[in-house]
Amino acid sequence: MTIKLYNTATRQKEVLTPIKPGEVSMYVCGPTVYDRAHIGNARAVLVFDMLFRLLRQEYGAESVRYVRNFTDVDDKINARAAETGREISDITAETTQWFLDDMAAIGALEPTDMPRATAYIPQMIAMIEELIEKGHAYAAEGHALFRVRSYEEYGKLSGRSVDDMIAGARVEVAPFKEDPMDFVLWKPSDENTPGWDSPWGRGRPGWHIECSAMANDLLGSEFDIHGGGNDLTFPHHENEIAQSKCCGHSFARIWMHNEMLQVEGKKMSKSLGNFFTVRDLLDQGVSGEVIRFVMLSTHYRKPMDWTEKKRQEAENTLRKWYRVTEGLDAGEDVSADALDVMKDDLNTAGAIAACHKLATEQNFRKLKKTMQFLGLLIEHTPSWALQNEVDLSSFETLLFEARQAAMQNKDFSEVDRLKAGLLDAGVSVMMSKDGVSLEPKPEFDAAKLEALK
Ligand code: AMP
Ligand code: ZN
């Protein structure tokens, strides 16, 4: 049962050797709950959902502990409350439920533990006190700050030196900081901002200490895997490591980071008008399963591009695979090819390719079983998969009539033109003496078909 994973910390693939034999522990940074999850967030969730499923398959469902937090104290949440006049607790409760609903809609299993940061304030305070005691942090003007220069290995995960970071980063310079690189562990709250009593006065935690404290409380001082998007490598994960190691924790062994998602080749942003949430897609009628299929089709360490074309192809493929597996019992075993590539650094794209191969070989029961392992083809054929994506019947008539004419005048050029155009658009063409039958293939492209008319 060898699973290899790429470890950002060592920059190589490593065999996963659980600290406790036969049991795996994993921590993944979860959402800050003030708004709907966008499709980039969904990518990160699905990457670690697939890892969770693979680990459960290999080690048994009871032997995998997967912690994903909710950050429910954060200045973005405070800002949202100030803008809207709503209670913070209403905003975080509503957004947490949205997140759970939207992630369920794309087939993500719930982690075994979903701690909320606000339930771990005493643990955070205890860690900060220990850091101060050991000289790795200091209190100043109601703040507690981590003394970055006191941790020699700072920057090792992301491969930067402290001096490079100072040159490149947007570090907050503040008069009470000993060094601009020092980061906040605790900060003061005014009467309109959520706060807890602490040795440094009433205040709230910084973001990084939340994960260090929750991981330690739930998984212990050393655990197997820590994950998140690669935008978190620096500073968030670098800071988590510094805090935890300086408290004497060994912390995570393997660090996994997913690459970012873009939309039609561009960074997703509200100003470009290409920003959308999972809920936006679901509301437009895109099935959660289609979203999942598109996401799994790219390896997690490659940038992924969300495109309308991929959405359409995924829909066509799923529609076809629902049709061919309808009423069949899933086979006994997941395809060995799919499992092998999944165990080699979570190659979900390779697993989808293995499914295409099974479909070509008409091994439909194994296809169903393997797809179900990937969290797909789990329902009875859903209604969207029953409809025909495109009405090809007018082209069937066109081609049939062209052929009738060609048999008369012995000029097949129009038939050839139509056939070539259909094939180019990703339509399979079946002609017999009784008629013409057309079917969209996974690579079907409706735009090319339009041009043919
Ligand atoms: P945030 O709410 O921005 O802290 O992000 C929550 C999770 O989503 C983190 O693991 C991020 O790394 C990840 N994430 C944010 N944006 C993207 C993106 N465009 N593509 C992939 N993952 C992302
Ligand atoms: Zn974190």
Side-chain angles (χ1 to χ4, degrees), residues 109 111-112 177 276 339 349 358 374 431 434:
L109 303 175
T112 51
K177 280 189 181 180
F276 44 101
L339 269 181
L358 291 172
L374 298 174
M431 295 173 84
D434 304 321

Side-chain angles (χ1 to χ4, degrees), residues 29-32 38 40-41 43-44 228-232 258-261:
C29 297
T32 303
H38 58 66
N41 303 138
R43 181 181 197 198
N230 70 355
D231 57 331
L232 300 185
N258 63 274
E259 256 288 351
M260 295 289 102
L261 173 143

